[in-house]
Amino acid sequence: MSTSSTRLPEGRYGRSSDQRADRTLKVVGGVLAVLFTALIGWFGYHYVAQNEISAELIRFETGQDAVKVHLEVHKDAGVVGYCTVRSQASDGAEVGRADFRFDGDATRIDQVVTLRTTSPGTSAELIGCHAE
């Protein structure tokens, strides 16, 4: 008894369609990986390089109808912008929100601002800063 082989003779019928599909998938995957990396780099560059004003909330003091917020703002000289601050009550409801404007030539501004609230606020949060 002899055993018969079910394999095709090598080199006789060319490349199989599975090999072509694998190569196509590798090429498409490589192109998508390069595009994704470039997109992440572009977003990162614009977030870091184009952000001309930033701030940090140092501390806050709550009151019955206002919250005093100590902000430290860093910006480029001559840039005008604003920072948004909000306060919440103990149940999580927003009781105050305001934009505070920063301009002038100073690159570092250390300022205490007063955020008016509709009821006693228990927190203060810096939402973000934007250059105009």
Side-chain angles (χ1 to χ4, degrees):
M1 250 179 161
S2 68
T3 59
S4 64
S5 174
T6 57
R7 265 187 340 163
L8 298 174
E10 284 190 39
R12 186 168 183 181
Y13 297 103
R15 298 179 67 189
S16 73
S17 62
D18 288 343
Q19 288 175 334
R20 280 192 294 270
D22 287 346
R23 179 182 160 101
T24 303
L25 285 175
K26 287 178 185 178
V27 169
V28 169
V31 168
L32 288 176
V34 168
L35 288 175
F36 182 72
T37 303
L39 184 68
I40 294 297
W42 184 77
F43 279 125
Y45 169 76
H46 282 282
Y47 179 76
V48 172
Q50 302 297 324
N51 196 6
E52 298 170 337
I53 183 170
S54 64
E56 180 180 357
L57 190 144
I58 304 298
R59 64 184 179 94
F60 63 91
E61 294 177 20
T62 60
Q64 286 297 88
D65 61 349
V67 176
K68 291 188 179 192
V69 181
H70 182 188
L71 293 175
E72 183 177 304
V73 180
H74 297 276
K75 65 182 190 66
D76 294 338
V79 170
V80 176
Y82 62 94
C83 293
T84 304
V85 178
R86 78 171 178 171
S87 179
Q88 292 178 312
S90 59
D91 64 354
E94 186 175 282
V95 294
R97 178 185 289 251
D99 293 333
F100 296 99
R101 189 173 172 84
F102 299 99
D103 52 8
D105 289 332
T107 59
R108 181 181 173 274
I109 301 169
D110 199 8
Q111 186 173 352
V112 176
V113 296
T114 302
L115 173 63
R116 301 282 177 204
T117 58
T118 57
S119 64
T122 59
S123 68
E125 180 183 6
L126 177 64
I127 301 296
C129 297
H130 304 282
E132 293 180 345

